[in-house]
Amino acid sequence: MVSNYMQNMMQEASLIRKMFEAGAKLKAQYGPENVFDFSIGNPSVPPVKEFKNALKTVASDSGISHGYMPNAGEYSVRNTVATKASEEQKTPIPAENVVMTCGAAGAINIALKALLNPQDEVIVICPYFMEYKFYIENHQGKMAVVQSSADFDLDIEAIEKAITTKTKAIIINSPNNPTGKVYSEQTLRALGQMLEKQPNPIYVISDEPYRHITYGIVVPALFPLYRNSIIATSFSKDMSIPGERIGWLAVNPQAEKAAEIVNASIIANRILGFTNAPALMQKVVALCLDNKIDSNIYLRKRDLFVKLLSDLGYEVSVPEGAFYLFVKSPIEDDKAFCELLLAQNILAVPGKSFGKIGYFRLAYCCDDDTIKNSKQGFKNAIEKAK
């Protein structure tokens, strides 16, 4: 008998995955070229060539160990990642403050496991990646939702009003999924200044898998702006290797109880069943940390898609990063409109999945032809909605 909790979880399971699976059936029925799948952030860009070269190098090394390793990951890899993270965060980060993980999801989960007591609250900013709710509940926490500003920026005043004595952490995501918003240094500084005034420490967990996919803008370093901060990220998007499930966690060395948080995260990396990031992938990414996919590829797709939809009358917010469009639904019921799109073999995810009714998300990490050839379907759907 499945537990009541898991029965509820199955009811709330990610619509993104459901749409992805529906897409597979449609492609088998109508042919891949006649289905326009914008449901899941699965990069269409090939992995960076340096990754493939590093994979060959590591795989051919007769001295490589495939045995168990420290739960935090291979020390030499942690040291290499810490050096790179120190550059990005403009803060010296020792290898001891880095934990290699099974993707950004693994990093967020071990951070929450380390921090949360039962019923502790974690603030998330709407619209948000829907699996945050599951991650928080995994560790007996409660999700508190705060609306973003009209332009999807952090609303510092609203966040402050949502803080209670049970607030333990805030999850931010920049560039944001689903909006593509990049939080500015000014905004992050204001967040840090507000949090420093709180009587109890509140940790900011910054989910950053899209850090290197931006358009003429740089994601600010969080560590110099707020001491109680933690970075969770992966190589899935910027190296285009999501299936390898490789990422890392870094705890700001200036954070309150930093060493305890790191140690608790390391233990969590073991007891949650992740054990640690795969040994082979740790070695591989350490050899090509500086190699990222060309963001201009996604910039071209973004501009192509924004123009196509705008010309048809859709209201589109132009993203600053990541590879998603968060589009205003022509009708208030975003799920119903996504059904209209589905009737045109277009797979989109309702804004309700991200906590924001009245929008839908389109992932443009796909072939250009998928975008171009979807035009008639988007035209038909918006006409049916009128």
Side-chain angles (χ1 to χ4, degrees):
M1 180 69 176
V2 175
S3 73
N4 292 335
Y5 178 74
M6 285 308 299
Q7 286 184 5
N8 291 333
M9 291 282 265
M10 288 187 289
Q11 289 292 325
E12 298 179 25
S14 172
L15 263 177
I16 295 177
R17 285 287 172 179
K18 289 181 179 178
M19 293 297 287
F20 181 62
E21 291 162 5
K25 294 179 181 177
L26 286 174
K27 289 171 188 175
Q29 184 177 355
Y30 297 105
E33 71 281 0
N34 297 313
V35 177
F36 312 103
D37 190 351
F38 306 112
S39 63
I40 193 168
N42 198 14
S44 60
V45 177
V48 294
K49 66 178 185 301
E50 291 84 1
F51 171 80
K52 293 185 177 181
N53 293 336
L55 184 59
K56 291 176 183 176
T57 298
V58 174
S60 63
D61 182 359
S62 60
I64 186 174
S65 171
H66 294 280
Y68 291 129
M69 67 178 72
N71 291 331
E74 192 73 47
Y75 186 83
S76 63
V77 175
R78 294 166 67 199
N79 190 56
T80 302
V81 171
T83 299
K84 185 64 178 176
S86 298
E87 295 174 8
E88 291 180 356
Q89 289 300 318
K90 301 178 182 178
T91 302
I93 303 171
E96 289 77 11
N97 282 49
V98 171
V99 183
M100 301 305 297
T101 63
C102 290
I108 295 169
N109 270 276
I110 65 171
L112 292 172
K113 184 70 171 177
L115 292 172
L116 298 185
N117 289 310
Q119 300 304 302
D120 276 350
E121 296 172 0
V122 180
I123 291 173
V124 301
I125 312 303
C126 181
Y128 54 87
F129 180 53
M130 74 293 298
E131 291 192 6
Y132 290 158
K133 178 179 185 291
F134 303 138
Y135 299 166
I136 293 164
E137 290 179 352
N138 282 346
H139 312 293
Q140 301 181 66
K142 293 178 64 178
M143 184 174 77
V145 178
V146 173
Q147 296 295 321
S148 61
S149 63
D151 63 349
F152 301 124
D153 206 352
L154 298 179
D155 185 333
I156 306 302
E157 183 177 347
I159 294 172
E160 185 170 20
K161 287 180 179 178
I163 292 173
T164 72
T165 56
K166 298 293 287 183
T167 303
K168 180 62 71 71
I170 299 173
I171 299 177
I172 62 173
N173 175 211
S174 176
N176 180 263
N177 175 9
T179 67
K181 182 70 176 179
V182 175
Y183 303 138
S184 69
E185 182 174 324
Q186 180 181 359
T187 296
L188 294 175
R189 180 179 286 109
L191 176 66
Q193 289 171 346
M194 181 272 290
L195 293 176
E196 288 287 2
K197 297 175 184 177
Q198 303 307 313
N200 299 314
I202 297 173
Y203 294 88
V204 173
I205 302 171
S206 186
D207 182 18
E208 300 188 358
Y210 303 97
R211 163 176 277 275
H212 299 288
I213 302 177
T214 56
Y215 313 119
I217 191 171
V218 176
V219 178
L222 176 63
F223 280 8
L225 303 176
Y226 183 58
R227 62 190 181 94
N228 289 323
S229 49
I230 298 168
I231 302 296
T233 191
S234 78
F235 302 97
S236 296
K237 308 305 192 295
D238 57 28
M239 283 191 190
S240 220
I241 53 169
E244 305 304 340
R245 311 307 302 169
I246 179 75
W248 51 268
L249 178 86
V251 177
N252 192 333
Q254 301 303 315
E256 190 167 337
K257 306 290 186 182
E260 290 184 18
I261 294 170
V262 173
N263 289 335
S265 298
I266 292 170
I267 293 172
N269 215 25
R270 172 77 184 188
I271 64 175
L272 290 177
F274 309 135
T275 307
N276 51 38
L280 186 68
M281 281 303 112
Q282 288 192 44
K283 292 287 190 180
V284 171
V285 296
L287 294 179
C288 51
L289 283 183
D290 292 325
N291 304 112
K292 313 297 181 187
I293 59 98
D294 181 3
S295 291
N296 287 321
I297 298 171
Y298 290 124
L299 175 60
R300 187 190 70 250
K301 296 175 188 292
R302 181 200 74 173
D303 292 346
L304 174 66
F305 216 174
V306 168
K307 185 177 187 311
L308 182 151
L309 292 171
S310 298
D311 287 349
L312 292 173
Y314 288 88
E315 185 179 329
V316 187
S317 297
V318 181
E320 298 168 317
F323 39 58
Y324 306 106
L325 297 183
F326 204 51
V327 186
K328 189 75 178 292
S329 173
I331 57 177
E332 185 176 355
D333 189 341
D334 49 273
K335 188 174 180 182
F337 186 73
C338 285
E339 290 294 331
L340 291 178
L341 290 173
L342 188 60
Q344 302 295 321
N345 288 347
I346 294 173
L347 281 77
V349 184
K352 183 179 180 181
S353 297
F354 306 95
K356 191 75 171 177
I357 294 173
Y359 290 80
F360 60 92
R361 193 196 76 172
L362 302 169
Y364 55 87
C365 47
C366 58
D367 294 336
D368 287 10
D369 284 346
T370 301
I371 297 172
K372 294 175 183 176
N373 295 336
S374 68
K375 183 173 183 178
Q376 188 61 48
F378 279 109
K379 185 175 186 293
N380 292 343
I382 197 171
E383 288 177 350
K384 289 180 180 296
K386 291 179 181 179

